[in-house]
Amino acid sequence: MKKVFILFFIIGLFFLAGCNENLKNNVQQNTNNSTTTTSQQATTPVEQNQKYEAMIYWEQQGKIVPVRKQVGTISELVNTLFRGPSEEEMKSGYFTELPKVSPNRVILEGDKVLLDLPVSFYDARGSFRVSNMLKQIVYTCESFPGVKKVVFLKDGNPISVFPGEGFVLAPYVDKNSINGQKGD
């Protein structure tokens, strides 16, 4: 009787291990399916073909100030930021510290934006300039519905510190963390 019990116990363990492996495979498959590299991943309550009021943050008279924009996606918002102020906005005194680069990818993943920027973006120097660049990006991204964090990538790889300036970028940046940083 003891041998039969042990045999059933061992069979039960193998059965549970197999179920657990199937569960792990399903979770892994779902995870792989949800981390696509599209320009916008709709995992927040953002609907296609809908316009949202968001803010682009420019500089004006030494301050970071918001300007209202109607956008359809987080990618559109970020790309507008990196293009810089319009001629009309420049006439109103708005400007940007951002270098003239285009994001490689902008991915919305839950409450965070993964912002993949080219290596040349990280060549900027000067703690005041870099601080304002990061504020412009983070404030602008957080103005989009559901976004609370920005994860910085350099040519597809996570970056933990802004080179040469000491601003901590990992695991993510939000308004609270960027306002508390002093740089080098």
Side-chain angles (χ1 to χ4, degrees), residues 156-173:
N157 299 308
I159 183 164
S160 57
V161 177
F162 198 99
E165 297 304 323
F167 288 95
V168 177
L169 302 177
Y172 62 85
V173 181

Side-chain angles (χ1 to χ4, degrees), residues 17-150:
C19 289
N20 189 31
E21 188 64 32
N22 287 340
L23 180 60
K24 278 178 27 182
N25 289 338
N26 287 341
V27 168
Q28 182 64 39
Q29 183 177 4
N30 288 340
T31 301
N32 289 340
N33 289 340
S34 69
T35 57
T36 58
T37 56
T38 60
S39 62
Q40 169 117 7
Q41 184 176 343
T43 57
T44 59
V46 176
E47 297 178 23
Q48 290 184 344
N49 301 323
Q50 183 172 342
K51 289 289 185 181
Y52 299 92
E53 185 171 289
M55 302 291 191
I56 296 267
Y57 283 80
W58 302 125
E59 285 190 61
Q60 185 183 48
Q61 299 176 352
K63 296 179 183 172
I64 305 294
V65 295
V67 174
R68 292 184 199 286
K69 296 284 182 182
Q70 292 289 318
V71 295
T73 66
I74 188 68
S75 295
E76 181 183 348
L77 180 66
V78 170
N79 287 320
T80 301
L81 173 67
F82 275 88
R83 275 194 301 274
S86 66
E87 285 187 35
E88 185 178 307
E89 289 169 330
M90 285 190 285
K91 287 178 184 174
S92 297
Y94 297 114
F95 66 98
T96 183
E97 291 288 351
L98 295 172
K100 296 293 181 201
V101 299
S102 295
N104 296 331
R105 290 181 300 159
V106 178
I107 302 168
L108 181 59
E109 192 174 88
D111 67 347
K112 66 185 170 200
V113 171
L114 283 76
L115 184 56
D116 186 5
L117 298 168
V119 171
S120 60
F121 171 81
Y122 298 98
D123 291 339
R125 293 294 175 256
S127 59
F128 181 77
R129 178 181 183 210
V130 172
S131 173
N132 282 350
M133 287 170 39
L134 295 174
K135 286 177 182 177
Q136 282 186 261
I137 293 168
V138 171
Y139 294 2
T140 297
C141 288
E142 285 191 18
S143 77
F144 195 79
V147 174
K148 294 182 170 57
K149 307 170 194 169
V150 179

